[in-house]
Structures are given as C-alpha cells and as structure tokens.
Amino acid sequence: GYGMVCHGGNKGTILVMLSGEGCDAAKEGWQQRVKQFLETRKSGRARLTRVDLAHDDYTGETYSVDKADQAYDDGLFTCGGRPPSHEYRGNWKRPDGKGRTIYIGNRKNGKFCRVYEKGRQLGDKNSEWVRIEVEYKSVDREIPFDILLEPGQYLAASYPAFGWISAVQERILTVQKKLQTTYDATIKNVKTQFGKALWVMLQIEKS
C-alpha cells in the first residue's frame, strides 16, 4: 500500500505514485532526495502531476467542517472570479457520528479541496479529528518541486480560508495568471528602461 509504479504509457514515460502511507514509511529526508532526483538530468522530463496536501486537527479546536462551511459562505474559498462549487456528504442536518465532508471545487480542475471528520469516518463516533486536504493537479499549472519541502506553505496559500496554517505562503499560479504576471512585469520594465525613448519616437512618428 505504499504506492505504485506504472510503465508503458505515453511516449515511454513512467508513472510513480507514492501514497500517504508510503510517505510515512519513507526514511527521513525523502522529500529532499526526491526533489534532487527530479531536478537531475537523469530524470529527463520529470514533473509532478498530482500532489495531495493535508493538515490534521486531532482535537477539532482549531478547525471543523462547520468552520469550513462558514468560510465558504464568507467567500474565503474564492480566489478571484466566481466562487467554486461545493458539495456536502454525510448527515449534515442530523449528524449521526459517521462523519461529514464538504468538498470545494471540481476534481477535474487543477485544485480541489475536502474537509472531513476523519476520526468519525474511521469509526470513532466521538472523535473530533478533522482533516483538511487540498489536491493539486498539473491542469493549467506547473506544480513546483519545492512543494515537497514546504507543503504547509502551499496548503496555506491554496485558499484564503487556510491562511492561518502558515505565516509564510507560496501560491501556485495557473498558466494564464503566470502569463499575465510576466506581461505586466514586461510592460513595467519597458516603461522604466525605454519610456523616454519610446516617447521621443512617438513624437517623431506623429510629425
């Protein structure tokens, strides 16, 4: 149950999947070793296609599914544009101890969130253990290798609702937002370095 290795796929690629159990069982420092391997030439076209980030509150004192639900109503899962879709699972009207889950977003997209009562789903009806999970996929975005070393920073930056997880935050921009950021920076540099020259040229062309 530590993971899976698949080969014979597109263009001779190999897929390596490491489960949560596999991460727990790995020798200390595995994150840095994996990152170094991915960055070497031997790995060729290596990239991260999916990374699941998680934060556990074993007592439920800091976070809960109800707080996540309220955060959605407060717009804290909206990262520009329209609010993401959401879905409830479990008995929300009359909680029966089997656990409740709230899903935020669409799994077909590059970012998907779930907040659920982990302990109760494992069978303990009195457990207050809550888990936050954010699933990143390489859909319209490139997942940086640094996410292996600082998962909490990327989790905290995934939605405004999770900003409390880490004071330092690292966002993963979509391809479109990256292009816009690069374009804006280019315009700023052109104005700074060539603004006067462009103004003179414009005046000459007008005349």
Side-chain angles (χ1 to χ4, degrees), residues 77-98:
F77 284 99
T78 302
C79 302
R82 295 179 300 177
S85 60
H86 73 291
E87 180 182 353
Y88 300 112
R89 293 287 179 86
N91 196 335
W92 282 73
K93 294 294 185 181
R94 295 181 179 179
D96 52 11
K98 294 182 180 180

Side-chain angles (χ1 to χ4, degrees), residues 79-81 111 140-141 171-184:
C79 302
K111 186 172 64 173
D140 296 330
R141 73 191 72 209
R171 293 188 62 191
I172 300 179
L173 298 178
T174 62
V175 173
Q176 183 177 0
K177 288 183 178 179
K178 275 189 175 181
L179 289 174
Q180 184 63 48
T181 301
T182 302
Y183 180 71
D184 292 342

Side-chain angles (χ1 to χ4, degrees), residues 69-81:
D69 186 34
Q70 183 62 52
Y72 180 87
D73 292 340
D74 293 340
L76 297 179
F77 284 99
T78 302
C79 302

Side-chain angles (χ1 to χ4, degrees), residues 92-108:
W92 282 73
K93 294 294 185 181
R94 295 181 179 179
D96 52 11
K98 294 182 180 180
R100 296 172 295 164
T101 302
I102 181 171
Y103 295 98
I104 308 292
N106 189 323
R107 294 201 70 179
K108 294 182 180 180

Side-chain angles (χ1 to χ4, degrees), residues 13-62:
T13 58
I14 297 176
L15 170 66
V16 179
M17 301 174 63
L18 186 63
S19 68
E21 290 79 5
C23 294
D24 288 338
K27 293 182 179 179
E28 185 176 354
W30 67 268
Q31 301 94 327
Q32 184 64 53
R33 293 194 298 273
V34 171
K35 180 176 182 289
Q36 289 176 347
F37 169 75
L38 294 174
E39 292 175 337
T40 63
R41 294 181 180 179
K42 294 181 180 179
S43 61
R45 295 171 291 160
R47 63 191 181 101
L48 296 173
T49 57
R50 173 176 167 178
V51 175
D52 292 359
L53 307 176
H55 176 85
D56 288 303
D57 183 345
Y58 294 103
T59 63
E61 295 179 358
T62 303

